Amino acid sequence: MAPSALSEAMTDPFESLEQDHQDVDELFDQFAQMEDDEEGEVDAAKIEIVEMICQKLNLHAQLEEEIVYPELQAVIDQPELIDEAEAEHAAAKELIAQLETMDPSDPEFDSTVELLAQSIRAHVAKEESEIFPMGRESSMDFSRVSASLDARRIELDPEMDDSDDDDEEESSSRSGRAPSGAMGRLAG
C-alpha cells in the first residue's frame, strides 16, 4: 500500500489546480497595484493582465467541470459542495463575459475586476479548505485524474502547445473564447 500512496502523492491532481489558484491570485494582485496615471500604457497593461486572468480562469473552470468535479461528486461525503462550486463558476463566467466586452476606460472596469477577484478568492478558499481535502481523502484514482487533467490542459491551453503562435487564435476559438471588446482588439 505504501507504493500506491507514494504514487498518489506524486500525481495529486489538486496540486496543479492549487497552482492555477496561486497564478490567478498573483495576476489579481498585479492588477490591483497598477497606477492610473499614464493612461495609454496602463490601459494596455490592464487589458493584458485581465485577458490572462480570464483565459486562466476559463481553462481552470473547464478542467474542473469536465474532469475533477464529476470525480469528486462520486466520491466525497458532501456532493452538494460541487453543485455550489459549479454555481460559483457560473457567476465568475458572467463577470468574465462582462470584462471581455469592456474597455479599461469604462468606469466599471476596475470594480468588475475587483468583484471577480473577491468571488474567485472566496471560491478558492472553499475549494482548498473543504472540497480538495475531501478529495484527497477519497478513493479517487489520482493517477488517472491527473493524467486526464494534464492531457486536457495541453489540448486546451495554447501556452502548453509547442507549435507557433499562429495556432493561438484557432485554439481560442476552439475553447469558446470569442475575442471582443478591448481584449479582443488587443488579441487580434
Side-chain angles (χ1 to χ4, degrees):
M1 182 101 36
S4 175
L6 177 60
S7 171
E8 286 180 5
M10 292 176 17
T11 60
D12 180 347
F14 304 106
E15 287 179 4
S16 71
L17 298 174
E18 289 168 339
Q19 183 61 54
D20 290 347
H21 293 164
Q22 184 177 355
D23 292 347
V24 168
D25 194 58
E26 289 171 6
L27 289 169
F28 281 129
D29 286 344
Q30 286 177 25
F31 183 89
Q33 294 171 6
M34 298 188 82
E35 301 287 326
D36 279 336
D37 52 355
E38 298 171 28
E39 209 51 43
E41 291 177 29
V42 172
D43 284 355
K46 282 183 176 184
I47 291 169
E48 186 177 341
I49 289 174
V50 171
E51 185 176 58
M52 287 189 288
I53 289 169
C54 293
Q55 181 181 14
K56 288 180 179 295
L57 288 175
N58 282 330
L59 172 66
H60 180 85
Q62 189 168 353
L63 292 171
E64 285 185 334
E65 291 166 8
E66 289 181 5
I67 298 166
V68 179
Y69 286 174
E71 293 285 337
L72 285 171
Q73 201 146 29
V75 297
I76 65 173
D77 291 334
Q78 296 177 297
E80 66 276 5
L81 290 175
I82 303 306
D83 296 332
E84 293 171 18
E86 288 176 331
E88 292 165 357
H89 279 195
K93 288 175 185 177
E94 288 179 22
L95 292 171
I96 289 168
Q98 289 175 25
L99 286 168
E100 288 178 337
T101 63
M102 294 175 131
D103 271 344
S105 61
D106 186 314
E108 301 297 316
F109 189 81
D110 288 2
S111 62
T112 303
V113 174
E114 180 56 33
L115 184 59
L116 179 61
Q118 291 171 3
S119 171
I120 294 301
R121 287 174 172 148
H123 172 75
V124 164
K126 182 185 274 186
E127 275 190 340
E128 291 186 0
S129 68
E130 297 179 41
I131 297 173
F132 290 178
M134 283 185 219
R136 285 187 168 110
E137 296 297 320
S138 75
S139 61
M140 177 188 290
D141 182 342
F142 282 23
S143 295
R144 183 178 51 75
V145 173
S146 289
S148 295
L149 274 175
D150 291 345
R152 188 67 171 140
R153 184 180 300 271
I154 289 168
E155 190 177 307
L156 294 172
D157 188 352
E159 292 177 8
M160 299 287 293
D161 190 359
D162 290 333
S163 63
D164 60 36
D165 289 339
D166 293 81
D167 293 337
E168 191 168 322
E169 271 188 358
E170 181 182 329
S171 179
S172 292
S173 65
R174 280 197 314 262
S175 68
R177 287 188 324 136
S180 61
M183 291 192 288
R185 286 192 297 278
L186 179 67

